[in-house]
Amino acid sequence: MPTLMLVTDVPFWLDRRGSSERIAEMLKYLVTFCDVTVCFIGELKVAEWNQGLKNTDVNWCGPGMPGRAIRTAAGWVDGLTKEPRTTNSSSKKDESFEQTVSLRDFESHVIADYVVGQAKKRDVDVVLLEYVALSYMCNPLRYSGGPLLVIDSIDVMNVRSRELEAIGEKNWLNITLQQEMDALSSADAVLAIQEREALFISEHLPEHLICLVKHAAALKSKGAKQKRPNEFAIGFVGSVGIANKKSIEFFLKECWPTILRQSNPTPILRIGGGLQKEDLDSLLNFDNVEFLGSFVDSIQFYASIDAAINPAVIASGLKIKSIDAIAHATPLVSTEAGLAGLESSIGICSVLSNDWHQFTDSLISIANSPDRLTELTDACAAYVESQLNPITVYAQLRDLIMKAAEVRS
């Protein structure tokens, strides 16, 4: 069985951010054919460590991991919820911030030495680094007979920076194209989360192995409808971050007033996640808008809506909230940015809207056509089964790991 060490500072078992779900879903598949160790290099409370150790079927290590006696004294905490939390990790892309950071700000010789020691001790075939901010570990990990080094890029960060600058905002990571390509090239292989980014990285790193590894999802039952009679419920899920705030602000300004006037039955917008009304422009129209806050039960949230929206304005990465909607058998209306990597769903279980006028018309049309809504909803299951199943999504990653183990055997 191949041995793999996943290195991260993202507490993926504690929050619902896309970066966390990315790791959590991948881990579910990796353990089916790998002996996996999670090396967590961030800081956590004892109860948070306990939850990770209890709820994941993997080996664990980390420079800040409390000893067995301390963990036992603290007690295994049952029933802990996975509420979103603020972290000081390399997944800050979803967080508000006051100043940008660079790759160098993440470097730590102490942590790198620890990771190298664990990789040698466990004789791992592959080290998977989540994400580009941990690329500084690659050179120390190049010891004789060492593992295959893989970086999961999740986003092409320099592209994300340019997209944010175009709408007057800054990315949390200050990085140029050259800096990012240099960082990615320090690994043996790079995981790209969608086709355009795989092509982009390949063009700049033609000698490197680039694997397309999207995001897997299983179909989740919506359960009984909880919506009120005579309403058309629209849902949006977002944490408190620049991209989410800008997206929903554009929607509320450009689309919502017309949708309120022209939809039948009465439309209602339900916003879940950490995003709250006070985070948004107070001059926007908040009529029939409900802020539900962070939720533990995603099935309950999606059961309360008819359609989901992702009015994304940043195209980098793969929008896991878009996948989540479809996986919950909920039709999605989205921009091109929100459907990047999910183009095969367009016209089947998602609706592409190229501008705000079309976005508005798409939602009104679905609201006024129960048959069309049913058609899109029913198509979600087949799409999830054929396009989002883990065997298909992680095929290239599995091949990469199996070959690395064969070479080292």
Side-chain angles (χ1 to χ4, degrees):
M1 177 179 286
T3 54
L4 178 144
M5 187 165 73
L6 186 151
V7 184
T8 186
D9 59 356
V10 179
F12 58 89
W13 64 100
L14 295 176
D15 64 40
R16 307 185 67 90
R17 298 177 188 278
S19 55
S20 294
E21 291 192 29
R22 164 72 163 174
I23 297 172
E25 286 301 320
M26 189 181 295
L27 199 58
K28 289 179 185 178
Y29 183 71
L30 289 173
V31 298
T32 65
F33 70 98
C34 285
D35 181 4
V36 179
T37 296
V38 171
C39 181
F40 183 78
I41 61 172
E43 297 181 3
L44 292 175
K45 297 176 180 178
V46 177
E48 294 170 333
W49 275 105
N50 281 349
Q51 185 178 342
L53 271 64
K54 184 178 181 181
N55 295 341
T56 54
D57 187 23
V58 297
N59 307 305
W60 281 82
C61 64
M65 183 175 173
R68 183 183 299 272
I70 295 175
R71 297 200 309 270
T72 302
W76 293 105
V77 180
D78 293 325
L80 287 174
T81 60
K82 294 184 179 180
E83 293 289 346
R85 68 197 296 274
T86 301
T87 66
N88 295 317
S89 72
S90 58
S91 64
K92 291 181 183 176
K93 73 187 190 104
D94 290 327
E95 299 178 11
S96 300
F97 56 91
E98 295 181 358
Q99 60 183 9
T100 60
V101 296
S102 67
L103 289 179
R104 181 162 294 183
D105 292 320
F106 289 92
E107 294 182 10
S108 169
H109 295 300
V110 173
I111 291 179
D113 288 345
Y114 176 85
V115 172
V116 170
Q118 290 295 319
K120 288 181 176 179
K121 174 183 176 181
R122 300 167 189 274
D123 191 27
V124 296
D125 298 313
V126 178
V127 170
L128 175 57
L129 300 169
E130 304 281 347
Y131 299 103
V132 68
L134 304 188
S135 60
Y136 73 91
M137 296 184 184
C138 287
N139 288 336
L141 282 164
R142 290 200 176 281
Y143 52 84
S144 177
L148 182 81
L149 306 178
V150 184
I151 294 177
D152 185 8
S153 63
I154 200 170
D155 279 323
V156 177
M157 285 294 177
N158 74 88
V159 173
R160 182 180 179 83
S161 295
R162 292 199 300 271
E163 290 177 327
L164 283 168
E165 288 172 3
I167 59 173
E169 300 293 343
K170 290 183 179 180
N171 191 17
W172 65 269
L173 182 63
N174 182 13
I175 189 170
T176 66
L177 170 61
Q178 189 62 51
Q179 288 171 338
E180 185 163 16
M181 293 304 114
D182 286 346
L184 294 177
S185 68
S186 64
D188 300 306
V190 178
L191 308 186
I193 203 168
Q194 44 120 311
E195 290 88 349
R196 292 181 186 178
E197 295 194 349
L199 179 60
F200 181 89
I201 298 172
S202 295
E203 289 174 345
H204 289 88
L205 300 177
E207 304 300 319
H208 270 66
L209 178 59
I210 313 300
C211 295
L212 177 63
V213 181
K214 295 187 178 183
H215 182 74
L219 186 68
K220 303 174 179 65
S221 172
K222 293 182 69 175
K225 277 289 184 183
Q226 299 169 359
K227 59 196 287 293
R228 295 183 297 231
N230 301 317
E231 73 172 17
F232 176 69
I234 302 165
F236 176 79
V237 179
S239 58
V240 182
I242 296 298
N244 283 325
K245 288 195 288 188
K246 285 293 182 181
S247 296
I248 200 64
E249 283 181 342
F250 277 124
F251 175 79
L252 288 170
K253 178 181 179 181
E254 304 292 340
C255 306
W256 191 234
T258 304
I259 293 171
L260 283 172
R261 291 195 305 269
Q262 297 184 14
S263 294
N264 183 28
T266 303
I268 186 167
L269 174 62
R270 296 191 169 113
I271 298 178
L275 200 61
Q276 296 293 327
K277 182 177 180 179
E278 54 266 26
D279 298 316
L280 305 176
D281 184 346
S282 61
L283 299 180
L284 293 168
N285 185 341
F286 293 103
D287 292 346
N288 283 20
V289 178
E290 296 179 355
F291 290 85
L292 303 184
S294 301
F295 54 81
V296 176
D297 188 352
S298 60
I299 292 177
Q300 183 179 19
F301 173 80
Y302 283 100
S304 73
I305 64 175
D306 297 292
I309 60 169
N310 188 3
V313 293
I314 305 300
S316 65
L318 180 70
K319 304 304 181 287
I320 291 176
K321 65 165 58 68
S322 295
I323 290 179
D324 280 346
I326 295 171
H328 284 86
T330 305
L332 174 70
V333 177
S334 182
T335 59
E336 183 178 5
L339 288 170
L342 294 171
E343 288 84 0
S344 59
S345 72
I346 296 171
I348 298 174
C349 52
S350 71
V351 177
L352 171 64
S353 300
N354 292 310
D355 55 45
W356 298 121
H357 178 74
Q358 189 176 14
F359 205 109
T360 302
D361 287 348
S362 295
L363 279 167
I364 293 173
S365 175
I366 294 173
N368 296 342
S369 175
D371 290 343
R372 177 58 173 156
L373 177 61
T374 299
E375 178 186 347
L376 290 166
T377 301
D378 291 345
C380 288
Y383 184 82
V384 171
E385 182 177 352
S386 64
Q387 301 296 317
L388 302 181
N389 71 83
I391 293 176
T392 299
V393 169
Y394 300 126
Q396 292 188 25
L397 177 59
R398 181 188 174 94
D399 288 346
L400 179 70
I401 293 170
M402 297 303 290
K403 289 177 182 177
E406 183 179 346
V407 167
R408 295 187 77 249
S409 62

Short mmCIF file of all heavy atoms in Angstrom, two decimals, residues 122-177:
data_model
loop_
_atom_site.label_atom_id
_atom_site.label_comp_id
_atom_site.label_asym_id
_atom_site.label_seq_id
_atom_site.Cartn_x
_atom_site.Cartn_y
_atom_site.Cartn_z
N ARG A 122 8.63 7.91 8.61
CA ARG A 122 7.52 7.11 8.08
C ARG A 122 7.82 6.54 6.70
O ARG A 122 7.02 5.78 6.16
CB ARG A 122 6.25 7.96 8.05
CG ARG A 122 5.85 8.47 9.43
CD ARG A 122 4.80 9.57 9.39
NE ARG A 122 4.59 10.16 10.70
CZ ARG A 122 3.75 9.68 11.62
NH1 ARG A 122 3.03 8.61 11.35
NH2 ARG A 122 3.63 10.28 12.79
N ASP A 123 8.97 6.94 6.12
CA ASP A 123 9.40 6.46 4.81
C ASP A 123 8.27 6.59 3.79
O ASP A 123 7.90 5.63 3.10
CB ASP A 123 9.86 5.00 4.90
CG ASP A 123 10.57 4.54 3.63
OD1 ASP A 123 11.15 5.41 2.93
OD2 ASP A 123 10.52 3.34 3.32
N VAL A 124 7.72 7.78 3.67
CA VAL A 124 6.55 7.98 2.81
C VAL A 124 6.95 8.03 1.34
O VAL A 124 8.04 8.47 0.97
CB VAL A 124 5.79 9.27 3.20
CG1 VAL A 124 5.22 9.14 4.59
CG2 VAL A 124 6.68 10.49 3.09
N ASP A 125 6.04 7.55 0.50
CA ASP A 125 6.24 7.58 -0.95
C ASP A 125 5.94 8.94 -1.55
O ASP A 125 6.54 9.34 -2.54
CB ASP A 125 5.34 6.53 -1.62
CG ASP A 125 5.66 5.12 -1.18
OD1 ASP A 125 6.85 4.76 -1.15
OD2 ASP A 125 4.71 4.38 -0.85
N VAL A 126 4.95 9.63 -0.95
CA VAL A 126 4.49 10.92 -1.50
C VAL A 126 4.26 11.89 -0.35
O VAL A 126 3.72 11.52 0.69
CB VAL A 126 3.17 10.74 -2.28
CG1 VAL A 126 2.67 12.10 -2.81
CG2 VAL A 126 3.33 9.75 -3.43
N VAL A 127 4.69 13.14 -0.56
CA VAL A 127 4.31 14.24 0.33
C VAL A 127 3.43 15.19 -0.47
O VAL A 127 3.84 15.69 -1.52
CB VAL A 127 5.53 15.00 0.88
CG1 VAL A 127 5.09 16.27 1.61
CG2 VAL A 127 6.32 14.11 1.84
N LEU A 128 2.21 15.40 0.00
CA LEU A 128 1.24 16.28 -0.65
C LEU A 128 1.11 17.55 0.18
O LEU A 128 0.69 17.50 1.34
CB LEU A 128 -0.11 15.57 -0.78
CG LEU A 128 -1.29 16.37 -1.33
CD1 LEU A 128 -0.97 16.94 -2.70
CD2 LEU A 128 -2.54 15.51 -1.38
N LEU A 129 1.50 18.68 -0.42
CA LEU A 129 1.49 19.97 0.28
C LEU A 129 0.24 20.76 -0.09
O LEU A 129 -0.03 20.99 -1.27
CB LEU A 129 2.74 20.77 -0.07
CG LEU A 129 4.08 20.12 0.28
CD1 LEU A 129 5.23 20.87 -0.36
CD2 LEU A 129 4.28 20.06 1.79
N GLU A 130 -0.51 21.16 0.91
CA GLU A 130 -1.71 21.98 0.73
C GLU A 130 -1.46 23.36 1.33
O GLU A 130 -1.51 23.52 2.53
CB GLU A 130 -2.90 21.33 1.43
CG GLU A 130 -3.20 19.90 1.02
CD GLU A 130 -3.95 19.80 -0.28
OE1 GLU A 130 -4.45 20.85 -0.75
OE2 GLU A 130 -4.04 18.71 -0.82
N TYR A 131 -1.16 24.41 0.67
CA TYR A 131 -1.17 24.68 -0.75
C TYR A 131 0.15 25.34 -1.14
O TYR A 131 1.15 25.09 -0.50
CB TYR A 131 -2.37 25.57 -1.10
CG TYR A 131 -3.70 24.88 -0.74
CD1 TYR A 131 -4.42 25.24 0.40
CD2 TYR A 131 -4.22 23.86 -1.54
CE1 TYR A 131 -5.61 24.60 0.72
CE2 TYR A 131 -5.43 23.23 -1.23
CZ TYR A 131 -6.11 23.60 -0.09
OH TYR A 131 -7.28 22.98 0.24
N VAL A 132 0.15 26.29 -2.09
CA VAL A 132 1.40 26.84 -2.61
C VAL A 132 2.25 27.53 -1.54
O VAL A 132 3.48 27.57 -1.64
CB VAL A 132 1.12 27.82 -3.78
CG1 VAL A 132 0.42 29.08 -3.28
CG2 VAL A 132 2.40 28.18 -4.52
N ALA A 133 1.63 28.05 -0.49
CA ALA A 133 2.38 28.73 0.56
C ALA A 133 3.33 27.80 1.30
O ALA A 133 4.26 28.25 1.98
CB ALA A 133 1.43 29.39 1.56
N LEU A 134 3.14 26.49 1.17
CA LEU A 134 4.02 25.52 1.82
C LEU A 134 5.10 25.01 0.88
O LEU A 134 5.83 24.06 1.22
CB LEU A 134 3.20 24.35 2.36
CG LEU A 134 2.07 24.69 3.33
CD1 LEU A 134 1.49 23.41 3.92
CD2 LEU A 134 2.55 25.62 4.44
N SER A 135 5.25 25.63 -0.26
CA SER A 135 6.24 25.19 -1.26
C SER A 135 7.67 25.28 -0.74
O SER A 135 8.56 24.59 -1.25
CB SER A 135 6.10 26.00 -2.54
OG SER A 135 6.32 27.39 -2.28
N TYR A 136 7.91 26.11 0.27
CA TYR A 136 9.26 26.26 0.80
C TYR A 136 9.81 24.96 1.39
O TYR A 136 11.01 24.81 1.60
CB TYR A 136 9.29 27.36 1.87
CG TYR A 136 8.64 27.00 3.19
CD1 TYR A 136 9.39 26.43 4.22
CD2 TYR A 136 7.28 27.21 3.41
CE1 TYR A 136 8.81 26.10 5.45
CE2 TYR A 136 6.68 26.87 4.62
CZ TYR A 136 7.45 26.32 5.63
OH TYR A 136 6.87 25.99 6.82
N MET A 137 8.93 23.99 1.65
CA MET A 137 9.36 22.71 2.22
C MET A 137 9.96 21.78 1.18
O MET A 137 10.60 20.78 1.52
CB MET A 137 8.18 22.01 2.88
CG MET A 137 7.61 22.74 4.07
SD MET A 137 6.30 21.77 4.83
CE MET A 137 5.76 22.93 6.09
N CYS A 138 9.76 22.06 -0.11
CA CYS A 138 10.18 21.12 -1.14
C CYS A 138 11.69 20.87 -1.14
O CYS A 138 12.14 19.71 -1.17
CB CYS A 138 9.72 21.60 -2.52
SG CYS A 138 7.93 21.41 -2.79
N ASN A 139 12.48 21.91 -1.13
CA ASN A 139 13.93 21.72 -1.17
C ASN A 139 14.45 20.91 0.02
O ASN A 139 15.26 19.99 -0.16
CB ASN A 139 14.65 23.06 -1.29
CG ASN A 139 14.48 23.68 -2.67
OD1 ASN A 139 14.24 22.96 -3.65
ND2 ASN A 139 14.60 24.99 -2.76
N PRO A 140 14.04 21.19 1.26
CA PRO A 140 14.49 20.36 2.38
C PRO A 140 14.06 18.89 2.24
O PRO A 140 14.72 18.00 2.77
CB PRO A 140 13.83 21.01 3.60
CG PRO A 140 13.61 22.43 3.21
CD PRO A 140 13.29 22.38 1.75
N LEU A 141 12.95 18.65 1.55
CA LEU A 141 12.44 17.28 1.40
C LEU A 141 13.15 16.50 0.30
O LEU A 141 12.86 15.32 0.09
CB LEU A 141 10.94 17.31 1.12
CG LEU A 141 10.04 17.57 2.33
CD1 LEU A 141 8.63 17.96 1.89
CD2 LEU A 141 9.98 16.34 3.24
N ARG A 142 14.10 17.12 -0.39
CA ARG A 142 14.82 16.43 -1.47
C ARG A 142 16.07 15.74 -0.93
O ARG A 142 17.19 16.04 -1.29
CB ARG A 142 15.17 17.42 -2.57
CG ARG A 142 13.96 17.91 -3.34
CD ARG A 142 14.28 18.48 -4.69
NE ARG A 142 13.07 18.85 -5.41
CZ ARG A 142 12.28 18.00 -6.05
NH1 ARG A 142 12.60 16.72 -6.06
NH2 ARG A 142 11.19 18.40 -6.66
N TYR A 143 15.85 14.79 -0.07
CA TYR A 143 16.95 13.98 0.43
C TYR A 143 17.03 12.68 -0.38
O TYR A 143 16.09 12.32 -1.10
CB TYR A 143 16.76 13.67 1.92
CG TYR A 143 15.43 13.09 2.30
CD1 TYR A 143 15.16 11.73 2.19
CD2 TYR A 143 14.40 13.93 2.77
CE1 TYR A 143 13.93 11.20 2.53
CE2 TYR A 143 13.16 13.39 3.12
CZ TYR A 143 12.93 12.04 2.99
OH TYR A 143 11.71 11.52 3.32
N SER A 144 18.13 11.99 -0.27
CA SER A 144 18.36 10.77 -1.04
C SER A 144 17.27 9.73 -0.74
O SER A 144 16.99 9.43 0.43
CB SER A 144 19.73 10.17 -0.69
OG SER A 144 19.93 8.96 -1.38
N GLY A 145 16.66 9.22 -1.81
CA GLY A 145 15.60 8.23 -1.64
C GLY A 145 14.32 8.82 -1.12
O GLY A 145 13.45 8.09 -0.62
N GLY A 146 14.17 10.12 -1.23
CA GLY A 146 13.02 10.81 -0.66
C GLY A 146 11.75 10.62 -1.46
O GLY A 146 11.73 9.97 -2.51
N PRO A 147 10.65 11.22 -0.99
CA PRO A 147 9.32 11.02 -1.60
C PRO A 147 9.11 11.88 -2.84
O PRO A 147 9.84 12.84 -3.09
CB PRO A 147 8.37 11.46 -0.48
CG PRO A 147 9.15 12.52 0.24
CD PRO A 147 10.58 12.07 0.22
N LEU A 148 8.08 11.52 -3.58
CA LEU A 148 7.59 12.38 -4.65
C LEU A 148 6.92 13.58 -4.00
O LEU A 148 6.14 13.44 -3.06
CB LEU A 148 6.58 11.63 -5.51
CG LEU A 148 6.01 12.41 -6.70
CD1 LEU A 148 7.01 12.34 -7.86
CD2 LEU A 148 4.67 11.84 -7.14
N LEU A 149 7.22 14.78 -4.49
CA LEU A 149 6.69 16.01 -3.90
C LEU A 149 5.60 16.58 -4.79
O LEU A 149 5.81 16.83 -5.97
CB LEU A 149 7.81 17.03 -3.72
CG LEU A 149 9.03 16.54 -2.93
CD1 LEU A 149 10.09 17.62 -2.86
CD2 LEU A 149 8.62 16.08 -1.53
N VAL A 150 4.43 16.80 -4.18
CA VAL A 150 3.26 17.27 -4.93
C VAL A 150 2.68 18.49 -4.23
O VAL A 150 2.50 18.49 -3.01
CB VAL A 150 2.18 16.17 -5.01
CG1 VAL A 150 1.00 16.65 -5.87
CG2 VAL A 150 2.76 14.87 -5.56
N ILE A 151 2.40 19.53 -5.01
CA ILE A 151 1.72 20.72 -4.48
C ILE A 151 0.31 20.79 -5.07
O ILE A 151 0.14 20.72 -6.29
CB ILE A 151 2.47 22.02 -4.81
CG1 ILE A 151 3.82 22.06 -4.11
CG2 ILE A 151 1.64 23.25 -4.40
CD1 ILE A 151 4.66 23.29 -4.46
N ASP A 152 -0.67 20.90 -4.21
CA ASP A 152 -2.04 21.15 -4.64
C ASP A 152 -2.20 22.66 -4.76
O ASP A 152 -2.12 23.38 -3.77
CB ASP A 152 -3.02 20.57 -3.61
CG ASP A 152 -4.46 20.69 -4.05
OD1 ASP A 152 -4.71 21.07 -5.21
OD2 ASP A 152 -5.35 20.39 -3.24
N SER A 153 -2.41 23.14 -5.98
CA SER A 153 -2.41 24.60 -6.19
C SER A 153 -3.72 25.25 -5.75
O SER A 153 -3.73 26.42 -5.39
CB SER A 153 -2.15 24.92 -7.66
OG SER A 153 -3.18 24.42 -8.48
N ILE A 154 -4.84 24.54 -5.82
CA ILE A 154 -6.21 24.98 -5.55
C ILE A 154 -6.62 26.24 -6.32
O ILE A 154 -7.69 26.31 -6.87
CB ILE A 154 -6.52 25.18 -4.04
CG1 ILE A 154 -8.04 25.14 -3.81
CG2 ILE A 154 -5.90 26.43 -3.47
CD1 ILE A 154 -8.46 25.07 -2.36
N ASP A 155 -5.79 27.26 -6.40
CA ASP A 155 -6.00 28.46 -7.22
C ASP A 155 -4.68 28.82 -7.88
O ASP A 155 -3.62 28.56 -7.31
CB ASP A 155 -6.43 29.67 -6.39
CG ASP A 155 -7.90 29.67 -6.05
OD1 ASP A 155 -8.71 29.26 -6.88
OD2 ASP A 155 -8.23 30.11 -4.93
N VAL A 156 -4.75 29.46 -9.04
CA VAL A 156 -3.57 30.14 -9.56
C VAL A 156 -3.61 31.54 -8.96
O VAL A 156 -4.37 32.40 -9.37
CB VAL A 156 -3.56 30.19 -11.10
CG1 VAL A 156 -2.35 30.97 -11.60
CG2 VAL A 156 -3.54 28.77 -11.67
N MET A 157 -2.80 31.73 -7.93
CA MET A 157 -2.93 32.91 -7.08
C MET A 157 -2.61 34.23 -7.78
O MET A 157 -3.21 35.26 -7.48
CB MET A 157 -2.06 32.75 -5.83
CG MET A 157 -2.63 31.79 -4.83
SD MET A 157 -4.17 32.43 -4.12
CE MET A 157 -4.63 31.07 -3.06
N ASN A 158 -1.65 34.22 -8.70
CA ASN A 158 -1.33 35.49 -9.37
C ASN A 158 -2.47 35.93 -10.27
O ASN A 158 -2.71 37.13 -10.43
CB ASN A 158 0.00 35.38 -10.12
CG ASN A 158 -0.12 34.57 -11.40
OD1 ASN A 158 -0.43 35.09 -12.46
ND2 ASN A 158 0.14 33.26 -11.31
N VAL A 159 -3.20 34.96 -10.84
CA VAL A 159 -4.37 35.30 -11.65
C VAL A 159 -5.47 35.84 -10.77
O VAL A 159 -6.14 36.83 -11.09
CB VAL A 159 -4.86 34.06 -12.44
CG1 VAL A 159 -6.17 34.36 -13.16
CG2 VAL A 159 -3.79 33.61 -13.43
N ARG A 160 -5.66 35.20 -9.62
CA ARG A 160 -6.66 35.67 -8.67
C ARG A 160 -6.36 37.11 -8.24
O ARG A 160 -7.27 37.93 -8.12
CB ARG A 160 -6.68 34.75 -7.45
CG ARG A 160 -7.72 35.14 -6.41
CD ARG A 160 -7.69 34.18 -5.23
NE ARG A 160 -8.67 34.56 -4.23
CZ ARG A 160 -9.94 34.23 -4.26
NH1 ARG A 160 -10.40 33.51 -5.27
NH2 ARG A 160 -10.79 34.61 -3.31
N SER A 161 -5.10 37.41 -8.03
CA SER A 161 -4.71 38.77 -7.63
C SER A 161 -5.10 39.79 -8.70
O SER A 161 -5.64 40.85 -8.39
CB SER A 161 -3.20 38.83 -7.38
OG SER A 161 -2.84 38.02 -6.28
N ARG A 162 -4.86 39.45 -9.96
CA ARG A 162 -5.20 40.38 -11.05
C ARG A 162 -6.71 40.56 -11.15
O ARG A 162 -7.20 41.66 -11.42
CB ARG A 162 -4.63 39.87 -12.37
CG ARG A 162 -3.12 39.91 -12.45
CD ARG A 162 -2.64 39.86 -13.89
NE ARG A 162 -3.06 38.65 -14.57
CZ ARG A 162 -2.38 37.51 -14.59
NH1 ARG A 162 -1.24 37.43 -13.92
NH2 ARG A 162 -2.81 36.47 -15.25
N GLU A 163 -7.46 39.49 -10.95
CA GLU A 163 -8.91 39.58 -11.02
C GLU A 163 -9.47 40.46 -9.90
O GLU A 163 -10.40 41.25 -10.11
CB GLU A 163 -9.53 38.20 -10.94
CG GLU A 163 -9.27 37.35 -12.18
CD GLU A 163 -9.82 35.95 -12.06
OE1 GLU A 163 -9.84 35.40 -10.94
OE2 GLU A 163 -10.25 35.39 -13.08
N LEU A 164 -8.91 40.33 -8.71
CA LEU A 164 -9.34 41.17 -7.60
C LEU A 164 -8.96 42.63 -7.83
O LEU A 164 -9.73 43.54 -7.53
CB LEU A 164 -8.75 40.66 -6.29
CG LEU A 164 -9.43 39.42 -5.70
CD1 LEU A 164 -8.59 38.84 -4.57
CD2 LEU A 164 -10.83 39.75 -5.19
N GLU A 165 -7.78 42.87 -8.36
CA GLU A 165 -7.35 44.24 -8.65
C GLU A 165 -8.28 44.91 -9.65
O GLU A 165 -8.53 46.12 -9.58
CB GLU A 165 -5.92 44.24 -9.18
CG GLU A 165 -4.87 43.92 -8.12
CD GLU A 165 -3.49 43.74 -8.70
OE1 GLU A 165 -3.34 43.91 -9.94
OE2 GLU A 165 -2.55 43.42 -7.93
N ALA A 166 -8.85 44.11 -10.57
CA ALA A 166 -9.75 44.66 -11.59
C ALA A 166 -11.03 45.20 -10.99
O ALA A 166 -11.70 46.05 -11.60
CB ALA A 166 -10.07 43.59 -12.63
N ILE A 167 -11.39 44.73 -9.78
CA ILE A 167 -12.59 45.26 -9.11
C ILE A 167 -12.21 46.09 -7.88
O ILE A 167 -13.02 46.31 -6.98
CB ILE A 167 -13.56 44.13 -8.72
CG1 ILE A 167 -12.89 43.12 -7.78
CG2 ILE A 167 -14.11 43.44 -9.95
CD1 ILE A 167 -13.85 42.08 -7.22
N GLY A 168 -10.95 46.53 -7.84
CA GLY A 168 -10.52 47.44 -6.80
C GLY A 168 -10.18 46.81 -5.47
O GLY A 168 -10.18 47.49 -4.44
N GLU A 169 -9.86 45.51 -5.47
CA GLU A 169 -9.55 44.81 -4.22
C GLU A 169 -8.17 44.17 -4.30
O GLU A 169 -7.55 44.11 -5.36
CB GLU A 169 -10.61 43.75 -3.91
CG GLU A 169 -12.02 44.28 -3.76
CD GLU A 169 -12.19 45.16 -2.54
OE1 GLU A 169 -11.33 45.11 -1.64
OE2 GLU A 169 -13.19 45.89 -2.49
N LYS A 170 -7.70 43.67 -3.16
CA LYS A 170 -6.40 43.01 -3.10
C LYS A 170 -6.56 41.56 -2.66
O LYS A 170 -7.42 41.23 -1.85
CB LYS A 170 -5.48 43.73 -2.11
CG LYS A 170 -5.02 45.11 -2.55
CD LYS A 170 -4.04 45.68 -1.53
CE LYS A 170 -3.54 47.06 -1.95
NZ LYS A 170 -2.59 47.62 -0.94
N ASN A 171 -5.70 40.72 -3.21
CA ASN A 171 -5.65 39.33 -2.77
C ASN A 171 -4.87 39.27 -1.46
O ASN A 171 -4.03 40.11 -1.18
CB ASN A 171 -4.95 38.48 -3.83
CG ASN A 171 -5.08 36.99 -3.59
OD1 ASN A 171 -5.93 36.56 -2.81
ND2 ASN A 171 -4.23 36.21 -4.23
N TRP A 172 -5.17 38.25 -0.63
CA TRP A 172 -4.46 38.12 0.63
C TRP A 172 -2.98 37.80 0.43
O TRP A 172 -2.15 38.13 1.26
CB TRP A 172 -5.10 37.03 1.50
CG TRP A 172 -5.01 35.64 0.93
CD1 TRP A 172 -5.92 35.03 0.12
CD2 TRP A 172 -3.96 34.70 1.12
NE1 TRP A 172 -5.50 33.76 -0.21
CE2 TRP A 172 -4.30 33.51 0.40
CE3 TRP A 172 -2.76 34.71 1.83
CZ2 TRP A 172 -3.49 32.39 0.36
CZ3 TRP A 172 -1.95 33.58 1.81
CH2 TRP A 172 -2.32 32.44 1.08
N LEU A 173 -2.67 37.15 -0.72
CA LEU A 173 -1.29 36.76 -1.01
C LEU A 173 -0.72 37.64 -2.11
O LEU A 173 -1.24 37.71 -3.21
CB LEU A 173 -1.23 35.29 -1.43
CG LEU A 173 0.15 34.72 -1.72
CD1 LEU A 173 1.02 34.74 -0.47
CD2 LEU A 173 0.03 33.28 -2.25
N ASN A 174 0.36 38.34 -1.79
CA ASN A 174 1.05 39.19 -2.76
C ASN A 174 2.04 38.33 -3.53
O ASN A 174 3.09 37.95 -3.00
CB ASN A 174 1.77 40.32 -2.02
CG ASN A 174 2.47 41.27 -2.97
OD1 ASN A 174 2.24 41.25 -4.18
ND2 ASN A 174 3.32 42.13 -2.43
N ILE A 175 1.69 37.99 -4.76
CA ILE A 175 2.50 37.04 -5.52
C ILE A 175 2.47 37.37 -7.01
O ILE A 175 1.42 37.70 -7.55
CB ILE A 175 2.02 35.60 -5.27
CG1 ILE A 175 2.99 34.57 -5.86
CG2 ILE A 175 0.61 35.39 -5.78
CD1 ILE A 175 2.69 33.15 -5.42
N THR A 176 3.62 37.30 -7.65
CA THR A 176 3.71 37.53 -9.08
C THR A 176 3.66 36.19 -9.82
O THR A 176 3.79 35.12 -9.21
CB THR A 176 5.02 38.24 -9.45
OG1 THR A 176 6.12 37.35 -9.16
CG2 THR A 176 5.19 39.54 -8.66
N LEU A 177 3.47 36.28 -11.13
CA LEU A 177 3.47 35.07 -11.94
C LEU A 177 4.77 34.30 -11.76
O LEU A 177 4.77 33.08 -11.56
CB LEU A 177 3.27 35.44 -13.42
CG LEU A 177 3.48 34.31 -14.43
CD1 LEU A 177 2.50 33.18 -14.20
CD2 LEU A 177 3.35 34.86 -15.86
#
